[in-house]
Amino acid sequence: MKLNVLVVEDDEFKQRQIVDFLGQQDWCGDSIIACSVVGGIAQIDESEFDLVILDMALPNYDGGSDAGQGLGGIAVFRYLRQIAPRIPVVVLTQFEALREGSALVDTDTLKSRLEHEFGQQFAALAKYKIASDEWKHCLNLVADSVRNK
């Protein structure tokens, strides 16, 4: 079974790396890209997905300059939970900490919050690093789990 994947990522380089990786995987069918909170929500409304790869530091709108919204991805996740609570989400971030208002939220705290709020729909939090394949391994594990359900 091939999985249709929604990638919600505003960083063009990271987005290209993810899409290139997905294109090499036999488990990946179509991959659709969104670049913002509004773009991610629109894609959720327009298409059906088996897996979502979600960045947390997203602008509200495509081409938006408000990328400082450190936890914008949570809005996309909350919307997805309302529409399709069974679609697993992998949070893929390149930051060790994200800004929430005037505070910083480290990835361990973020992971705990996502597990608490989203339960099993939150499949994993992977740290994106150019020099590491750990995030790719994480995506493969989640994809295998989704395909074997």
Side-chain angles (χ1 to χ4, degrees):
M1 167 181 153
K2 292 205 179 262
L3 304 179
N4 293 325
V5 180
L6 172 61
V7 178
V8 187
E9 173 59 60
D10 64 317
D11 181 282
E12 289 181 32
F13 180 80
K14 184 176 158 193
Q15 186 186 95
R16 248 188 335 271
Q17 294 293 308
I18 296 166
V19 170
D20 288 349
F21 168 73
L22 293 174
Q24 297 169 11
Q25 305 312 302
D26 62 351
W27 54 262
C28 186
D30 292 331
S31 57
I32 303 294
I33 306 299
C35 303
S36 65
V37 172
V38 170
I41 289 171
Q43 287 300 332
I44 290 166
D45 284 343
E46 293 173 16
S47 304
E48 291 188 26
F49 302 98
D50 303 299
L51 177 63
V52 174
I53 300 170
L54 179 62
D55 185 29
M56 280 288 112
L58 293 170
N60 287 317
Y61 301 96
D62 289 357
S65 60
D66 60 343
Q69 182 178 329
L71 297 176
I74 288 180
V76 177
F77 206 153
R78 288 177 178 151
Y79 186 79
L80 179 67
R81 180 181 58 191
Q82 293 175 355
I83 301 301
R86 294 195 194 315
I87 297 174
V89 176
V90 174
V91 171
L92 185 59
T93 183
Q94 60 192 353
F95 300 112
E96 294 298 322
L98 296 153
R99 185 159 302 284
E100 182 177 37
S102 61
L104 288 177
V105 178
D106 65 77
T107 53
D108 290 335
T109 301
L110 176 62
K111 181 178 179 183
S112 295
R113 285 176 59 182
L114 294 172
E115 288 170 342
H116 177 75
E117 183 171 350
F118 299 104
Q120 290 184 342
Q121 187 173 16
F122 171 60
L125 185 145
K127 292 182 182 175
Y128 172 83
K129 295 181 182 174
I130 296 170
S132 171
D133 286 340
E134 185 177 326
W135 64 274
K136 296 174 183 178
H137 179 69
C138 178
L139 289 177
N140 278 327
L141 288 174
V142 172
D144 286 345
S145 173
V146 172
R147 292 173 62 203
N148 291 326
K149 281 187 178 180

